[in-house]
Amino acid sequence: MPKHLDTGLLVPGTVTPMRSVPQHIERPEYVGRTTPNEPDGTGDFYTPEELDRVRKASRIAAATLEHLEQFVRPGVTTEELDRHAHEFLVAHDAYPSTLGYRGFPKSSCTSLNEVICHGIPDDTALEEGDILNIDVTAYAFGMHGDTNRMYLVGEVDEESRLLVERTREAMMRGIKAARPGRQVSVIGRVIEKYAGRFGYQSVRDYTGHGVGRSFHSGLIIPHYDAPHFTDVIEPGMIFTVEPMLVTGSQDWEQWDDGWTVVTRDGSRCAQFEHTVFITEQGPEILTLPPSQL
């Protein structure tokens, strides 16, 4: 995704072949297939033993994002960052869940500036002032742990810095609202209300989801006020909360690669994501980075 010389907006770059994963690492069921077996029909509830396995996978994913901090700087390509993510995951005996999922060619998603989500790592070099989201999911112990976060590339303008800061806060407020007995719609209502205070729009067409046994279970977690999502939050559930906030319009378009989603007006987007387990007392974040454990 180099930048177009006239507009400064991104254009597709060169994508290298898929990376290999050592044979001893367990693969998700969809690897080598066109369509995954989702939803898996086993629900979004987890036993203590299953929770322990999701927690382990989630911690590998979170550690991957923290590991990548040292490499995010001007001049580094998103392809290089994907390589570091891939190597870290396989070194911890985890399969990169995105690799081969519905044909996705890389081990992470790298969404830069106006990319809302699903950016494919390529030969784009980061520049001073960019903002970057890296999304990593680790498949280990038979479970997926899913998380993403923003990185600031060098010195970033105040508007972009605040967008990133406030998007993380929106996610945390949404997670805090996810209490047993409430409908999942409360999460989106809290997020959209907070985002609206700053004139941001919360992207509606991409949502959180159930995760664990499946990469995406079929459960939808909205990031906007959506009363028609009436699933009740109950102890034992695992899902993601991952709002995408934009400074302009949430109208989007997709590149010909079939994955990269960008804002139509070129405005910047920020996103954060955690995998969350619901306890009797409320939400527990499973994807906290090692430095916060």
Side-chain angles (χ1 to χ4, degrees):
M1 291 181 288
K3 291 182 180 178
H4 193 283
L5 292 178
D6 295 330
T7 65
L9 299 180
L10 300 169
V11 294
T14 302
V15 179
T16 59
M18 295 174 67
R19 304 182 191 283
S20 63
V21 177
Q23 286 301 313
H24 73 274
I25 295 177
E26 180 184 4
R27 269 80 167 147
E29 54 82 19
Y30 51 76
V31 173
R33 299 172 50 209
T34 303
T35 305
N37 182 25
E38 294 177 332
D40 62 7
T42 56
D44 295 288
F45 296 87
Y46 291 78
T47 67
E49 183 275 334
E50 290 172 324
L51 167 63
D52 182 62
R53 290 192 280 134
V54 179
R55 182 180 284 114
K56 288 177 179 177
S58 295
R59 286 182 176 176
I60 294 172
T64 304
L65 293 185
E66 194 162 84
H67 172 71
L68 293 176
E69 287 180 357
Q70 62 191 301
F71 304 111
V72 177
R73 60 182 182 273
V76 173
T77 67
T78 53
E79 159 71 16
E80 291 175 79
L81 294 174
D82 183 73
R83 175 175 60 82
H84 289 300
H86 180 91
E87 291 174 352
F88 188 89
L89 287 163
V90 300
H92 289 79
D93 289 332
Y95 186 93
S97 298
T98 60
L99 188 64
Y101 178 77
R102 297 183 182 272
F104 192 83
K106 290 297 177 178
S107 300
S108 62
C109 298
T110 51
S111 299
L112 185 64
N113 296 341
E114 71 267 22
V115 180
I116 294 174
C117 58
H118 304 158
I120 300 176
D122 61 17
D123 62 349
T124 299
L126 302 183
E127 297 181 4
E128 186 88 9
D130 285 343
I131 60 173
L132 172 70
N133 178 278
I134 303 180
D135 193 331
V136 167
T137 306
Y139 181 75
F141 310 97
M143 298 289 180
H144 299 271
D146 190 3
T147 186
N148 72 52
R149 58 159 285 190
M150 298 298 298
Y151 301 81
L152 305 181
V153 184
E155 292 294 322
V156 173
D157 67 86
E158 182 73 354
E159 181 182 43
S160 297
R161 186 189 66 78
L162 287 174
L163 172 67
V164 169
E165 180 182 299
R166 290 163 176 168
T167 303
R168 183 183 183 281
E169 177 64 17
M171 174 192 65
M172 295 304 294
R173 290 183 179 221
I175 291 172
K176 186 177 180 180
R179 305 192 66 82
R182 295 176 172 177
Q183 294 179 345
V184 295
S185 57
V186 71
I187 298 171
R189 185 160 61 250
V190 167
I191 288 171
E192 189 168 60
K193 182 177 180 181
Y194 177 76
R197 287 167 49 182
F198 310 104
Y200 303 147
Q201 291 191 19
S202 181
V203 176
R204 297 188 168 209
D205 291 337
Y206 295 91
T207 67
H209 53 90
V211 67
R213 301 179 197 95
S214 294
F215 195 172
H216 303 89
S217 75
L219 174 68
I220 293 175
I221 306 298
H223 304 125
Y224 62 99
D225 192 359
H228 55 287
F229 288 105
T230 58
D231 293 283
V232 176
I233 299 167
E234 299 180 54
M237 295 176 76
I238 296 179
F239 52 78
T240 71
V241 177
E242 46 181 307
M244 290 146 267
L245 304 186
V246 294
T247 56
S249 169
Q250 65 175 290
D251 292 342
W252 56 269
E253 56 191 31
Q254 188 177 64
W255 286 357
D256 291 341
D257 61 23
W259 286 101
T260 306
V261 177
V262 298
T263 57
R264 190 167 293 162
D265 62 6
S267 60
R268 287 190 165 188
C269 179
Q271 181 186 20
F272 281 86
E273 174 186 22
H274 275 312
T275 292
V276 176
F277 172 68
I278 303 301
T279 73
E280 295 283 354
Q281 291 72 41
E284 174 194 345
I285 297 174
L286 302 181
T287 44
L288 287 175
S291 62
Q292 294 182 30
L293 294 175

